[in-house]
Amino acid sequence: TIGYTVGTNNGIRVIRKTVNGGATWVDQVRVASTWGFNDVWFTSTIAGVAVGGDGNIQRSANGVSWSAVSSPTSSTLNGVNFPTSTTGYAVGDGGTILKSTNGGSWWSAVFFSGSITTNSLKDVFFVDSNTGFLVGAGGIILKTVDGGSSFTFQTSGTTNDLMAVHFVDAMTGYAAGMSNTLLKTTNGGTDWYSFTDGISDPDTNDAFPFDPDFYGIHFPTPYTGYVGSYDDNYRGRLYVFQSVPEPIAQSTKLTISSYSSSGIDVSFTA
């Protein structure tokens, strides 16, 4: 399984790649910088976009090298998603929402900062070209069914900042956030509930002795999910959630099977 993770550590912005499902990672970008990467999304095993501070956007067409792309905003961009190989969305501070229709080479502002909300938007995921979800500060969840032309507010049940969102299919989705916040919906976002009960530390098999802050979430299958976090010593952690033999359900007690020191956000392509 090919995957990519991004993050920042002590003023160093990093993009890392795995070709073995997260067992090992190799740096693709490791550069001292005043801004860092916050999210990455790949439309294929080689074509992807990473976004970060000061409105910065970088794109890779070969899965190896990265180059800067012109951005219409200077607001920090926190999340990016492509429902198709050409159409993509990026979200950021102050409610900024951007859209690309050419694979990430060019971006326009759908809604400028404060147009819909002043809350910082942290992540975005589109189920298809029309239906998408945005999450952010204060537990905000926004949904669109018309390709981003309009958005409606959903009830998350939390005031904790939501940092990431991912859908397995049109009905089943997950959101992750601060203070051990993990949410799930099974009806396309109409209702969300917490599924953090029973999560255990992979080293001790005991419940977490602290409330981890989750920054990234990706479920490539209904059975396996990856969640990016920091531990209590502020070290980057990539947790692997597994549920066998049934897909993760509301009553399932989840156990973290493994983790690696990789970053805070993750995107798997195959």
Side-chain angles (χ1 to χ4, degrees), residues 14-186:
V14 179
I15 299 177
R16 310 186 80 192
K17 180 178 181 178
T18 180
V19 295
N20 54 17
T24 59
W25 296 81
V26 176
D27 289 346
Q28 288 194 315
V29 174
R30 191 173 187 86
V31 180
S33 175
T34 58
W35 60 271
F37 291 115
N38 294 324
D39 198 16
V40 60
W41 190 267
F42 270 71
T43 59
S44 69
T45 56
I46 60 173
V49 173
V51 299
D54 299 331
N56 280 283
I57 303 173
Q58 293 202 1
R59 182 175 181 269
S60 177
N62 56 15
V64 178
S65 59
W66 295 78
S67 58
V69 175
S70 178
S71 172
T73 184
S74 60
S75 296
T76 292
L77 295 174
N78 301 308
V80 61
N81 174 255
F82 279 76
T84 73
S85 61
T86 56
T87 301
Y89 299 83
V91 297
D93 286 357
T96 300
I97 305 172
L98 308 183
K99 183 175 183 178
S100 174
T101 57
N102 62 358
S105 297
W106 183 84
W107 294 81
S108 62
V110 177
F111 291 100
F112 285 104
S113 176
S115 298
I116 298 177
T117 178
T118 57
N119 289 38
S120 177
L121 297 174
K122 301 299 186 180
D123 198 21
V124 53
F125 187 89
F126 271 70
V127 176
D128 53 42
S129 58
N130 293 314
T131 303
F133 298 84
L134 286 61
V135 299
I140 189 174
I141 300 179
L142 297 173
K143 181 179 181 179
T144 179
V145 294
D146 54 16
S149 295
S150 64
F151 290 87
T152 58
F153 289 84
Q154 293 194 311
T155 301
S156 67
T158 183
T159 57
N160 292 333
D161 291 355
L162 296 175
M163 309 300 292
V165 60
H166 184 89
F167 273 71
V168 178
D169 53 42
M171 302 302 291
T172 305
Y174 299 87
M178 308 300 279
S179 299
N180 198 23
T181 301
L182 291 172
L183 305 179
K184 181 179 180 179
T185 179
T186 57

Side-chain angles (χ1 to χ4, degrees), residues 1 18 20-25 182 195 198-203 205 208 214 216-229 236-244 248 253-263 266 268:
T1 302
T18 180
N20 54 17
T24 59
W25 296 81
L182 291 172
F195 69 97
I199 294 179
S200 59
D201 187 283
D203 290 331
N205 238 3
F208 275 124
F214 298 116
I217 191 166
H218 188 104
F219 275 76
T221 77
Y223 304 93
T224 303
Y226 299 84
V227 181
S229 178
R237 288 289 181 260
L238 180 65
Y239 297 102
V240 182
F241 291 87
Q242 292 183 326
S243 178
V244 179
I248 294 170
K253 298 296 185 180
L254 298 177
T255 299
I256 299 172
S257 62
S258 62
Y259 66 78
S260 63
S261 303
S262 301
V266 60
F268 278 77

Side-chain angles (χ1 to χ4, degrees), residues 201-215:
D201 187 283
D203 290 331
T204 65
N205 238 3
D206 296 326
F208 275 124
F210 62 99
D211 287 335
D213 295 331
F214 298 116
Y215 291 87

